[in-house]
Amino acid sequence: MTPDDADKPFRPEEVLTRQVVNRVSERVAQLRARIESLQRDLRDHLEARATLRIVLEGDGGGEWYVNVEGGAATLANAAAAPPLLTVYQKLDDFRLAAAAGAVGGLGFGGPAGQGALTRSRIERLQAIRGTLEIKVTDLPDGKELPVTIHFGSGERDAQPQTVIALKAEDAERLRKGELNPQMAFLQGRIRMTGDAALAMQIGMAMM
């Protein structure tokens, strides 16, 4: 209370309006804004249309397509659209990732929809051309777990333009949403070599 307020007559109706009536209206307005945001997010998911190509190399491997349309994804032997990107991985490395539950960690569908393939995100990814390699290091057996992602149609480049490396524990924290990618990079938990512009372009597209 200010000195000026002390000189004013006390009006209970003003207090009730400010601290009770207005707060009810404010809460309803907040809920409406939240619903509108969820509706926009839902439309962004339902309008998404893209194909991801998965190539597993080695005996027993093969080629598969994840077709995304109308809020659903299907696994098929044929592409419904030109691939947005191609993921390359050795079958043994894929098997290791599967055992760790980290296949979804390819970057498309993290906690609370983080990284999900929405219409707006797909539009941004369509502008990217280049090859990125991600290396997960310091696995329990001392091995590395690499995966290569080529953006655009066609085959991957002979050498990736950008290589990103991070420890297995940090990769798991990122997958669970416990570690912010930007903070991980600033803290040196994510190490990058090669074309920084490509990494930044991918990072902006996935926001």
Side-chain angles (χ1 to χ4, degrees), residues 54-125:
I54 313 296
V55 177
L56 301 181
E57 302 168 320
D59 292 340
E63 186 172 309
W64 291 267
Y65 296 90
V66 177
N67 296 315
V68 178
E69 185 171 10
T74 57
L75 187 64
N77 294 320
L84 178 68
L85 56 84
T86 300
V87 177
Y88 297 89
Q89 193 168 38
K90 292 181 179 178
L91 181 61
D92 288 344
D93 291 334
F94 180 82
R95 186 180 291 114
L96 182 60
V103 171
L106 293 173
F108 306 100
Q114 182 182 5
L117 283 176
T118 61
R119 177 187 54 78
S120 55
R121 190 168 285 127
I122 288 168
E123 290 174 353
R124 294 193 294 269
L125 288 170

Side-chain angles (χ1 to χ4, degrees), residues 114 174 179-188 190 203-204 207:
Q114 182 182 5
L174 283 169
L179 181 63
N180 179 276
Q182 287 78 16
M183 289 302 300
F185 183 79
L186 292 173
Q187 294 169 358
I190 296 177
M204 291 296 292
M207 290 180 64

Side-chain angles (χ1 to χ4, degrees), residues 43-64:
R43 285 196 300 269
D44 209 14
H45 280 75
L46 293 176
E47 293 172 0
R49 186 175 186 272
T51 292
L52 309 182
R53 179 178 172 232
I54 313 296
V55 177
L56 301 181
E57 302 168 320
D59 292 340
E63 186 172 309
W64 291 267

